[in-house]
Amino acid sequence: MTATDAEMRTDEDWWVYTGSGMPHDGITRLPPAPPWRAFGDPDDLTLPLPPQEQPSGSATRRLGRVRQASAYQADEREIHLVNLALHLRRPLLITGKPGVGKSTIAYAVAHELRLGPVLRWPITSRSALRDGLYAYDAIGRLHDAGIAGGTEPRDEPRIGRYLRLGALGTALLPWRHPRVLLIDEIDKSDVDLPNDLLNVFEEGEFEIPELSRLGPGDQEVMTSDLDRIATVPGGLVRCAEFPFVVLTSNAEREFPAAFLRRCVRLDVQAPDEKRLAAMVAAHLGGDDEEESARTELITEFLRRQREDGAALANDQLLNALLMAGRGMWNRKSGREIIQDVLLRPLSDG
């Protein structure tokens, strides 16, 4: 949204996420969960806070993600539905065409509410529930114990060294504030995965049989935060606050009714000219010398979408504007390359 829009809009009293792009402690104002969605003690100050440092990747990449999150231009309806999902402790199912910013919403919420690095689970046709919960390297454990290769067994290493929680499993650890979990492109999954997720979403917990067989004691395991470990009592991972779950879909399939009724559903539309201009300014800054090229490119981008029905992503426009600002727009050949290559419809083979 533009600065004028932000000035005119009065944030709702019940909003936790405001879409401002500026980090704040609003998550501390989130009311207690409804009784049917309460999983732990909200006043337990011994629970860990979400980590505030990215666990991996270069500093440049981290800064890029922060900039992307802070630059996201959420409209009022999107802000309403994000807050509905936060208050109700329900997953947010976001549907829209590729490139409209569905996954960016997860990063924007995590950034503004200081909920730590986004835990991302990219879905493929082979993804199963276990992939999101945890992975166990049984062969590695046998090898290190000296069983593999016919050697005599030594002291058996602790099992937690060979068990890593997946993105979903890490999100379901007992955090003081909800972690942000992005389940990306859920419509690419096997037909059974949405139904398999229902029990975990309803119960807020799951069992790790490899640990529960060891009895009621605590076991330390690795997590998707890479450099962090977690303690799992009796093989049961149970959340204290239901994570903020964002599921994205390109609308390539239908989902079971039982799955849909447990989600808050948000349909993201392609941005209009005003919203695109605000997004560009947030990403690339304001430059009067480039204003004419920006206006022309935004107009052409929208024309191709509306009149030609072209499938175009927001980041294609950003790439085109970036190269236009570096001199390509000053020559006819450069303009043709920008329009024919950088703004080429995604549906073109």
Side-chain angles (χ1 to χ4, degrees):
M1 71 192 68
T2 65
T4 302
D5 292 335
E7 292 170 0
M8 293 176 61
R9 190 193 74 206
T10 301
D11 294 347
E12 300 279 354
D13 291 339
W14 63 281
W15 283 1
V16 176
Y17 168 70
T18 65
S20 68
M22 300 297 294
H24 57 76
D25 295 324
I27 195 64
T28 61
R29 302 194 304 272
L30 182 65
W36 55 91
R37 297 296 294 160
F39 300 101
D41 181 2
D43 299 321
D44 186 354
L45 299 182
T46 66
L47 296 175
L49 291 168
Q52 292 305 303
E53 293 296 328
Q54 289 281 2
S56 64
S58 68
T60 301
R61 180 60 177 164
R62 294 200 298 271
L63 289 174
R65 276 297 191 192
V66 170
R67 187 177 183 87
Q68 180 187 34
S70 60
Y72 183 75
Q73 304 295 306
D75 64 25
E76 188 167 336
R77 178 174 175 78
E78 291 172 2
I79 297 172
H80 272 305
L81 296 187
V82 165
N83 281 286
L84 273 178
L86 284 165
H87 279 259
L88 298 175
R89 275 62 167 189
R90 288 295 184 184
L92 180 67
L93 176 61
I94 305 178
T95 303
K97 293 182 179 180
V100 296
K102 300 185 296 295
S103 61
T104 305
I105 293 177
Y107 292 93
V109 173
H111 172 68
E112 182 179 319
L113 297 181
R114 295 176 174 157
L115 297 178
V118 172
L119 297 162
R120 180 172 176 265
W121 181 16
I123 300 299
T124 70
S125 60
R126 298 180 300 276
S127 298
L129 179 62
R130 167 76 177 263
D131 300 325
L133 296 177
Y134 72 97
Y136 175 48
D137 183 9
I139 295 177
R141 186 180 181 217
L142 290 173
H143 182 274
D144 289 351
I147 297 175
T151 60
E152 291 296 324
R154 299 186 296 272
D155 290 340
E156 189 172 346
R158 295 182 64 86
I159 190 173
R161 288 176 52 189
Y162 307 94
L163 199 150
R164 184 183 297 279
L165 299 181
L168 174 56
T170 302
L172 289 171
L173 287 168
W175 301 99
R176 195 186 313 175
H177 299 319
R179 292 296 299 270
V180 177
L181 170 66
L182 172 61
I183 303 180
D184 214 5
E185 299 191 327
I186 184 69
D187 50 342
K188 289 184 177 179
S189 72
D190 177 86
V191 66
D192 292 327
L193 182 59
N195 280 326
D196 292 341
L197 286 167
L198 289 181
N199 186 61
V200 175
F201 285 167
E202 285 304 294
E203 301 302 324
E205 66 181 31
F206 68 96
E207 181 186 18
I208 302 176
E210 292 86 351
L211 298 183
S212 59
R213 294 190 197 105
L214 302 178
D218 292 346
Q219 295 287 335
E220 290 186 340
V221 301
M222 296 182 290
T223 73
S224 287
D225 288 319
L226 298 183
D227 59 342
R228 291 175 175 264
I229 60 174
T231 300
V232 177
L236 185 68
V237 175
R238 181 179 177 84
C239 69
E241 277 283 2
F242 189 75
F244 178 66
V245 180
V246 173
L247 305 111
T248 68
S249 168
N250 294 327
E252 295 178 355
R253 60 177 281 195
E254 295 182 357
F255 296 105
F259 178 79
L260 292 176
R261 72 178 179 86
R262 289 171 170 84
C263 297
V264 174
R265 299 160 66 182
L266 167 61
D267 186 17
V268 175
Q269 302 295 326
D272 58 17
E273 186 171 357
K274 181 185 292 187
R275 193 172 173 190
L276 274 177
M279 178 193 72
V280 169
H283 276 281
L284 301 178
D287 193 325
D288 293 338
E289 294 181 2
E290 299 176 11
E291 187 62 31
S292 175
R294 288 188 178 184
T295 300
E296 287 184 56
L297 275 170
I298 289 174
T299 300
E300 176 63 12
F301 180 84
L302 290 172
R303 187 198 68 75
R304 292 187 180 200
Q305 283 186 325
R306 294 170 180 171
E307 297 180 14
D308 300 343
L312 293 169
N314 293 347
D315 57 358
Q316 288 179 270
L317 175 62
L318 290 175
N319 290 336
L321 289 169
L322 178 67
M323 296 313 300
R326 292 181 178 179
M328 287 188 69
W329 200 250
N330 299 333
R331 301 184 64 178
K332 181 180 178 181
S333 60
R335 291 189 181 202
E336 290 176 349
I337 290 174
I338 287 176
Q339 293 180 335
D340 296 343
V341 177
L342 296 183
L343 294 183
R344 181 177 180 175
L346 300 174
S347 55
D348 284 2

